[in-house]
Amino acid sequence: MGNFPSYSSNIPYFWPKFEFSLILFGIILSIPCYLFVFYHILMEKVSRQSLHNHVIFLLLIYNFLIVTFDLPMILNFNRLGYVSPFNPFICLLWQFIDNGIWYGALSLMFWATFERHILVFHTNLVSTKYRRLFIHYIPLIFFSLYTPLVYFYLVFIYSCGQNFVITAIRCGSICLYINAPQWLQLYDSYVNYTLPVLLIPICSVTLLSRFIKQKRRLQQNVTWRQSRKMIIQITLISTVYIVFDLPAIIVFIVQSSGYPTFGNTIWSPFLTRMTLIPSIILPFATLLALPRSKEKLARLCFWTHNRRAVLPGTTTH
């Protein structure tokens, strides 16, 4: 498993190997779960056409990229102490996924929690084709492409002559963090990262509160069961982001408010690593709220066995 170089003296000696094993185990389990959830949404007509699943599907795609590329690269770097494989294209792709796709997933998560208010309590806003275009599809396109397009430009097009460093995580910093104006770096930190993470729990808590208060009225509506499923789905997914991303944001805000050493002992070895976890847990949280997922998973797992069972008997000579 390599030497696992440690850059912090305040963590237990066993932590790097334990962290590596835990995240690797999570990645191995999450990839087939991702594939099954993709299969379920694409093959199930109702799930595929449901408006609330559109943002979830894009969120799954973004996090699948993180799980299959970003996290393995981070683990390999932590294991070896250098980037492997190391070439300019890999470095650029890693920087793009770790920034553009990762921030894009946060933006989508915020939009998912906000849009759920519309889909549960204001269905008239998406009742026609034109309303769905302006209230559902255009915002979905914006939140899914905003940060990926920004970082595609910053990583692949805009150049400040930086050199890739084999011994630096993500081969070094992108140009935004090297020579960009201070206001732009603050905008990136607060608008692209801090704001979505703070808005996710606000939207989720208010959604759950509204749902509980209006439960009696909704129960009289034929859409009660569908609304309940949408609430359960977004609550499970948003809880993952709240638990693993919010602590790092709280420490970042306190440090930016004049206490630069606050939380330093837990920032690098623990809090920054916690932000890697949502991508691993996301497909499981999504799977729990998918309709008829247990039956479909059982049929998929035992398809070969059942297929053999119905074949006519054969005679061997």
Side-chain angles (χ1 to χ4, degrees):
M1 294 174 69
N3 295 323
F4 290 91
S6 176
Y7 304 102
S8 178
S9 59
N10 63 336
I11 62 174
Y13 73 94
F14 65 85
W15 182 255
K17 290 185 178 182
F18 175 75
E19 174 191 276
F20 177 90
S21 302
L22 190 64
I23 296 179
L24 180 61
F25 183 68
I27 292 173
I28 293 173
L29 290 180
S30 68
I31 289 178
C33 189
Y34 268 108
L35 296 178
F36 173 74
V37 173
F38 286 142
Y39 165 78
H40 179 91
I41 294 177
L42 290 175
M43 300 303 293
E44 188 79 21
K45 185 178 180 180
V46 175
S47 298
R48 186 173 67 248
Q49 294 180 345
S50 298
L51 295 182
H52 67 274
N53 277 334
H54 293 169
V55 64
I56 300 301
F57 188 74
L58 289 174
L59 185 65
L60 287 165
I61 291 176
Y62 280 19
N63 280 278
F64 183 72
L65 292 175
I66 294 172
V67 164
T68 55
F69 187 88
D70 188 27
L71 295 191
M73 291 294 292
I74 292 174
L75 287 184
N76 209 32
F77 178 84
N78 291 339
R79 181 176 67 91
L80 299 174
Y82 58 88
V83 179
S84 177
F86 178 75
N87 65 68
F89 177 76
I90 292 293
C91 290
L92 290 173
L93 185 61
W94 189 8
Q95 291 176 351
F96 171 71
I97 293 178
D98 191 81
N99 290 278
I101 298 300
W102 195 76
Y103 285 138
L106 283 179
S107 298
L108 282 171
M109 188 63 239
F110 156 67
W111 172 244
T113 57
F114 181 84
E115 186 192 36
R116 206 55 57 106
H117 286 264
I118 299 173
L119 298 178
V120 173
F121 301 106
H122 305 284
T123 54
N124 61 302
L125 294 178
V126 289
S127 59
T128 67
K129 180 173 63 175
Y130 293 105
R131 289 180 179 181
R132 285 193 294 272
L133 174 64
F134 288 102
I135 302 299
H136 173 71
Y137 289 107
I138 290 180
L140 181 61
I141 292 171
F142 172 78
F143 283 104
S144 61
L145 294 181
Y146 162 61
T147 54
L149 288 178
V150 168
Y151 278 94
F152 183 86
Y153 170 77
L154 290 173
V155 171
F156 290 102
I157 300 176
Y158 178 72
S159 175
C160 58
Q162 81 272 31
N163 295 317
F164 298 118
V165 182
I166 193 171
T167 55
I169 186 76
R170 291 175 289 277
C171 309
S173 299
I174 64 174
C175 290
L176 173 66
Y177 305 123
I178 296 176
N179 63 354
Q182 183 67 22
W183 68 266
L184 186 57
Q185 297 185 31
L186 290 175
Y187 174 88
D188 177 72
S189 298
Y190 284 99
V191 175
N192 292 338
Y193 181 38
T194 305
L195 189 59
V197 175
L198 291 178
L199 289 176
I200 289 169
I202 293 174
C203 292
S204 300
V205 171
T206 54
L207 177 67
L208 192 58
S209 176
R210 291 180 68 184
F211 182 74
I212 293 173
K213 289 180 180 179
Q214 301 186 40
K215 180 179 179 181
R216 181 173 299 178
R217 181 181 65 83
L218 289 171
Q219 280 181 321
Q220 299 172 357
N221 195 308
V222 294
T223 61
W224 152 252
R225 187 172 181 178
Q226 178 66 16
S227 299
R228 183 169 58 88
K229 288 180 179 179
M230 287 194 290
I231 297 293
I232 293 173
Q233 182 193 60
I234 202 65
T235 300
L236 288 172
I237 297 174
S238 61
T239 299
V240 172
Y241 279 87
I242 294 170
V243 169
F244 293 102
D245 275 296
L246 193 57
I249 287 297
I250 293 173
V251 172
F252 170 74
I253 293 175
V254 174
Q255 289 181 346
S256 302
S257 302
Y259 302 90
T261 60
F262 177 80
N264 273 355
T265 56
I266 60 173
W267 174 260
S268 178
F270 302 112
L271 292 185
T272 57
R273 297 296 193 268
M274 286 175 61
T275 61
L276 306 177
I277 305 301
S279 296
I280 296 175
I281 300 181
L282 177 65
F284 300 100
T286 306
L287 181 64
L288 290 175
L290 286 176
R292 297 180 297 279
S293 58
K294 292 181 180 179
E295 295 84 353
K296 185 166 289 188
L297 182 61
R299 291 200 306 267
L300 191 64
C301 291
F302 295 104
W303 176 77
T304 304
H305 172 75
N306 293 337
R307 185 167 177 242
R308 284 198 300 263
V310 299
L311 285 175
T314 57
T315 303
T316 58
H317 299 281

